[in-house]
Amino acid sequence: MKQSVKLVAGNWKMNGLGASLGEAEALKQALTEQAAGCRVALCPPATLIERMARVLAGGAVELGGQDCHAEASGAFTGSVSAEMLTDAGANLVILGHSERRTGFGETDADVAAKTEAALAAGLEPIICIGETLAEREAGQAIEIVSHQIAGSLPLSLSGKAFAVAYEPVWAIGTGLTPTLEQIEEVHAAVRAAMVARLGEGGRTAPILYGGSVKPSNAAEILAVAEVGGALVGGASLKAADFLGIIRAA
Ligand SMILES: O=C(CO)[C@H](O)COP(=O)(O)O
């Protein structure tokens, strides 16, 4: 099966002020001097997207949001629409991150609706799934991620560019990662669930791994079958660290 180009995306979460744009500039410059062998993206807080788009203009680093509302506009105080992300210069958006599923009660149906809105605005969604520690310990990881795929991916994704990110919740920010065998097993199950849901439309979209990806473990994780890239949190905040992961892809 033809593997699509790997995608390595950095999720800055709620980190970064204007001074942080220097990291984006450094990343752009480094990839201008030595091209990456993968797609590279940064997903900063919404307040930085437009300024970061100006910094990254003309370079190889793509730009994403960390969430969007399912509606195009309206009385949704504090929210950002998919079109607002496009308007600010983004071409990608992370959806369904576990910190939003847990912290904001987002359901699979919410994620599917947000994915529809993202596609309508021309954004490429990165749809996150992953099991909790309790679910892992109960031997339910495959069942959980398969169910999340079935509920979070709208049929309209067929034929569109998108990615899925498998992020075991218990590996996020902890320094812990599944074994390479566990990653391979889950990614194979996620692929099967994507094909079951979308048919041929689910066969090639990259399945990123996220959860304590660091320069020290990136090469072995990215070499696992069906790992189509990485979704990186803490290690994406500094260009030098993030480049260590990018160079491993
Ligand atoms: O931020 C992440 C990518 O969405 C994910 O939560 C992993 O975070 P990290 O463990 O700090 O890399």
Side-chain angles (χ1 to χ4, degrees):
M1 179 190 67
K2 181 176 177 302
Q3 280 288 344
S4 50
V5 174
K6 290 190 190 297
L7 169 61
V8 176
N11 174 7
W12 283 13
K13 303 188 181 183
M14 195 172 78
N15 297 294
L17 300 171
S20 309
L21 292 168
E23 296 300 328
E25 177 63 42
L27 182 67
K28 173 189 175 183
Q29 189 55 38
L31 296 180
T32 301
E33 290 163 6
Q34 184 187 351
C38 62
R39 290 173 64 192
V40 178
L42 285 177
C43 302
T47 51
L48 286 179
I49 291 175
E50 190 161 2
R51 284 181 281 174
M52 192 175 285
R54 290 197 288 271
V55 167
L56 297 179
V61 181
E62 299 173 54
L63 187 53
Q66 297 177 17
D67 179 50
C68 70
H69 199 279
E71 296 297 329
S73 62
F76 307 104
T77 302
S79 294
V80 173
S81 73
E83 194 173 11
M84 290 172 183
L85 294 177
T86 308
D87 184 56
N91 67 296
L92 296 152
V93 62
I94 298 168
L95 295 173
H97 192 283
S98 62
E99 291 158 359
R100 296 202 60 85
R101 290 174 184 263
T102 307
F104 297 88
E106 285 190 8
T107 64
D108 290 343
D110 294 329
V111 176
K114 291 181 174 204
T115 300
E116 299 266 24
L119 294 174
L123 293 171
E124 182 176 341
I126 301 172
I127 302 158
C128 300
I129 53 157
E131 82 283 0
T132 66
L133 181 60
E135 290 162 343
R136 165 60 66 179
E137 290 176 340
Q140 297 171 340
I142 301 291
E143 176 191 346
I144 293 296
V145 299
S146 301
H147 188 266
Q148 288 176 320
I149 289 289
S152 303
L153 272 58
L155 296 177
S156 55
L157 279 170
S158 284
K160 298 287 180 36
F162 73 99
V164 167
Y166 166 56
E167 298 199 314
V169 179
W170 50 274
I172 295 173
T174 63
L176 302 173
T177 61
T179 65
L180 300 181
E181 293 74 22
Q182 288 172 329
I183 293 173
E184 183 169 1
E185 180 188 35
V186 173
H187 277 241
V190 169
R191 177 65 70 201
M194 289 165 66
V195 172
R197 176 67 177 154
L198 300 174
E200 285 305 304
R203 198 168 291 284
T204 57
I207 306 168
L208 316 184
Y209 170 79
S212 294
V213 177
K214 307 299 180 192
S216 58
N217 63 19
E220 62 182 9
I221 291 172
L222 287 162
V224 172
E226 286 292 11
V227 173
L231 193 50
V232 182
S236 69
L237 294 170
K238 294 293 182 191
D241 296 337
F242 198 31
L243 280 162
I245 295 167
I246 292 162
R247 297 298 183 210

